[in-house]
Amino acid sequence: MKALTANRLLDGEVVFWKAGQWVERFADAELFSDDEAATAAEAHGKNQPTVVVDVYLIDLIEAEGVWAPISYRERIRALGPTNHLAHGKQAEGGAVIEALQHAHGAARSTGRVNLIKRK
């Protein structure tokens, strides 16, 4: 599975794609199978070029019954700053935040590499 992520131009916030709009929480992100991921990235990234920047797919792994990014970098982006547990998105708590904090793996996201190769 994969999710589509970007940075919002207005404030630099990490955002995720869900049903036609960008949302701030990873828990709300739309998940794509490997087959539909490339098509989704191209379609959603090009439709809103002035809203977000650096649109790319991230690889996900199942952790504690929910999906979490494989890459440590992407888990940090989904949780917010790492300086204190009471800061950022991780302060919201919940099952998805717990899974993100305990997920394992350090693989590099192939979605971004594939998009770069196509250009």
Side-chain angles (χ1 to χ4, degrees), residues 6-26:
N7 288 88
R8 192 168 44 212
L9 281 173
L10 183 63
D11 57 5
E13 183 71 33
V14 175
V15 291
F16 302 92
W17 184 258
K18 179 185 181 181
Q21 64 182 354
W22 294 102
V23 295
E24 292 183 6
R25 296 180 57 219
F26 174 77

Side-chain angles (χ1 to χ4, degrees), residues 59 70-72 105-109:
D59 296 317
I70 292 175
S71 162
Y72 183 67
R108 182 177 179 162
S109 178

Side-chain angles (χ1 to χ4, degrees), residues 6-72:
N7 288 88
R8 192 168 44 212
L9 281 173
L10 183 63
D11 57 5
E13 183 71 33
V14 175
V15 291
F16 302 92
W17 184 258
K18 179 185 181 181
Q21 64 182 354
W22 294 102
V23 295
E24 292 183 6
R25 296 180 57 219
F26 174 77
D28 296 332
E30 184 175 343
L31 304 182
F32 299 98
S33 68
D34 291 343
D35 296 335
E36 62 188 8
T39 305
E42 285 196 24
H44 303 309
K46 291 181 181 176
N47 287 342
Q48 299 183 7
T50 59
V51 177
V52 296
V53 66
D54 201 18
V55 177
Y56 62 96
L57 292 163
I58 56 174
D59 296 317
L60 306 176
I61 189 169
E62 194 168 359
E64 298 181 21
V66 297
W67 292 96
I70 292 175
S71 162
Y72 183 67

